[in-house]
Amino acid sequence: MKVLHIINGLGAGGAERLISDIIPLMNRKNGVEVEVLLLTDEKNVFKEKLEENGVKVDVVPYRKMYSPLNVFYIRKYIIKGNYDVVHAHLFPTQYWVGLTRVLLKLKGVKFITTEHSSYNRRRTKFYFRYLDRYIYSKYDGVISVSEKVHFNLIEWLKIPKEKLDKFVVINNGINVEKFKQAKPYEKKEIHSGLNSETKLICMVGRFSESKDQGTLIRALKELPKNVCLLLVGEGLLKQQNIKLAEEIGVIQRVFFLGYRDDVERILKTSDIIVLSSHWEGLSLALLEGMASGNPFIASKVEGIKEIVDGYGLLFEQGNYMELSEVLWKVISNSKLSREVSAKCFKRANDFDIKRTVKMTMELYRKIGMNGKMIESVK
């Protein structure tokens, strides 16, 4: 079976990281060859990792994600590559690949897309419902990364019950063992101003509309001065958050680490992991934080609360005073810290990446190749 994954790019996001993790595992299956096509080559931090694992990665020559010309290039690329399954991720790639299906008359090629988030800005405009319904109708299978993402998508598209068969849930997954075995740094290795007495809070995530690092920065101001914050990631809103830390007087206690390829070690070095978001799909940063062996605290929003509730600790999104209180409870109570850590790690094991790969391959088989079931993949 020959599979092509198409995505905007391979920047430092959850969907991009999922692709970089699952495709090498897929390529280890007998009779499977998986390749990747990108719409842009900007900030493709995971491209090298895939290529080091022997994965072919190409880039559409236009290098413009929003160019309709992508449709025609993708069509030619699919025909030339003789793919059995084409798997699209993220907007606008989902649109271009869906429209490719209209132009591509090869019945043997099956099309799949993955919905990675429980919310997007298109859903604020009623007319996008009709466009989305048309595009998603061109796919043979639609994967959602969590139950909440699935529910919200069905509600948005107004899909009748008799047409729900092709909509499935395959949870995101992580390599739990990698985070379990990660070796922590000495805190002073991260920054000379840190020491063994420093309590480190860490959040991993892009500085983007969906994330809310600002609430965490504000919460830090309410905590003792030996508590510091590590923020891992890049994004358009990074400077805005740096300015906030300066304005409220905590800039000396907030360390903006940028993109890191040693996230597992950063998490292991930290004392508490936080994910403050406005919304999520099924965040890999969430799962990785829970797998780190540290207590995990997150905002009580869609895409998070159904995974974390009963395991980690939750606070009302945007309520920095409540977050600071929850953080202090964990910092000041070692028994509570150990209990929450153990529950979080147990929960993380429900989302091992091997299960994600297995279920995705089973979907490829179910959809079939050239109208027949694919039985050769093991």
Side-chain angles (χ1 to χ4, degrees), residues 293-312:
N294 289 310
F296 184 80
I297 301 170
S299 49
K300 192 187 300 183
V301 298
E302 291 185 350
I304 292 181
K305 59 186 178 182
E306 58 267 29
I307 306 300
V308 177
D309 195 18
Y311 301 91

Side-chain angles (χ1 to χ4, degrees), residues 156-169:
W156 165 245
L157 297 177
K158 303 295 183 186
I159 302 297
K161 291 183 178 179
E162 63 271 16
K163 294 186 178 181
L164 287 178
D165 287 353
K166 73 176 184 179
F167 291 83
V168 300
V169 177

